[in-house]
């Protein structure tokens, strides 16, 4: 499974460096020189200038980090082979990630990678099946479990201790005590 570690933003300067919206707790490890990051297969960003006459630019399946540094609170990254501002602009909006197989589990027992939660059954303390986790939304206030309900609808559950009582990855379940009306929205 692929873990998203960032989203490429606007170019910085003229030599292909880009800003990156970091989506990992370990940016120094993920964006270390030589790190290979995957992109959406065959992605063509909406603002897709051609690098040459009649040659549309396609985002490569992988990007190799040449250098990374912090500048005014933002991560700036240069990728191998991306040497011009126009090409860097074509990467804008591209999600970049790593294979979860190469990522160690967090040491803190109350910390989880998104891919560990996707697919887990969501149940109440009484054992009522509420659905299955299909993805995690990283909102400003708290992370949200996106749940596919048995009837096919989706629901959002704030990933906070007051509601999420237990995460049992090995047992394949998340125990939640949702407040009344949470699924009526």
């Amino acid at each position: 499974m692929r873990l998203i570690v960032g989203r490429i933003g606007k170019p910085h300067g003229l030599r292909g460096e880009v800003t990156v919206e970091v989506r990992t707790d370990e940016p120094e490890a993920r964006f270390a020189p030589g790190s290979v990051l995957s992109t959406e297969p065959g992605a063509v960003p909406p603002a897709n200038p051609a690098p040459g006459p009649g040659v549309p630019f396609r985002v490569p399946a992988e990007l190799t980090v040449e250098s990374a540094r912090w500048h005014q609170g933002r991560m700036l990254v240069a990728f191998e082979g991306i040497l011009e501002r126009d090409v860097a602009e074509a990467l804008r909006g591209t999600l970049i990630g790593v294979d979860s197989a190469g990522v160690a589990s967090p040491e803190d027992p109350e910390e989880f990678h998104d891919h560990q939660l996707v697919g887990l059954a969501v149940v109440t303390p009484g054992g009522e099946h509420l659905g299955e986790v299909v993805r995690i939304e990283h909102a400003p206030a708290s992370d949200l479990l996106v749940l596919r309900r048995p009837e096919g609808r989706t629901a959002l559950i704030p990933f906070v201790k007051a509601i999420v009582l237990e995460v049992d990855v090995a047992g394949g379940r998340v125990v939640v005590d949702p407040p009344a009306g949470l699924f009526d929205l």
Side-chain angles (χ1 to χ4, degrees):
M1 174 171 263
R2 188 165 162 251
L3 298 178
I4 302 299
V5 297
R7 185 172 130 310
I8 297 176
K10 64 183 181 177
H12 179 82
L14 301 173
R15 304 200 190 276
E17 203 170 36
V18 294
T19 61
V20 173
E21 174 190 314
V22 176
R23 296 186 182 178
T24 176
D25 290 341
E26 302 171 326
E28 285 75 18
R30 301 289 167 245
F31 296 100
S35 297
V36 178
L37 304 172
S38 65
T39 67
E40 299 98 349
V44 179
N48 194 12
V55 181
F57 177 77
R58 282 208 167 288
V59 175
E62 294 182 334
L63 293 168
T64 302
V65 176
E66 187 173 286
S67 66
R69 63 189 172 98
W70 290 100
H71 175 69
Q72 297 180 348
R74 291 187 177 184
M75 173 71 76
L76 299 179
V77 179
F79 294 106
E80 289 180 8
I82 308 298
L83 305 174
E84 299 171 2
R85 184 179 180 89
D86 290 347
V87 177
E89 178 65 41
L91 294 173
R92 185 186 277 206
T94 302
L95 294 175
I96 47 180
V98 296
D99 183 6
S100 64
V103 178
S105 293
E107 293 179 16
D108 183 348
E110 292 188 11
E111 196 174 309
F112 306 95
H113 291 298
D114 292 2
H115 75 277
Q116 293 176 296
L117 303 172
V118 172
L120 297 182
V122 179
V123 298
T124 65
E128 177 189 355
H129 180 75
L130 298 175
E132 177 182 317
V133 178
V134 291
R135 73 177 183 278
I136 313 302
E137 290 288 330
H138 300 282
S142 73
D143 291 340
L144 299 165
L145 299 174
V146 179
L147 183 72
R148 182 179 22 219
R149 301 276 291 148
E151 67 276 4
R153 292 183 313 125
T154 58
L156 300 175
I157 299 176
F159 197 4
V160 295
K161 285 186 179 194
I163 297 173
V164 179
L165 306 178
E166 176 187 357
V167 176
D168 181 4
V169 175
R173 68 187 191 132
V174 178
V175 179
V176 299
D177 187 13
L182 182 65
F183 299 120
D184 297 337
L185 300 174

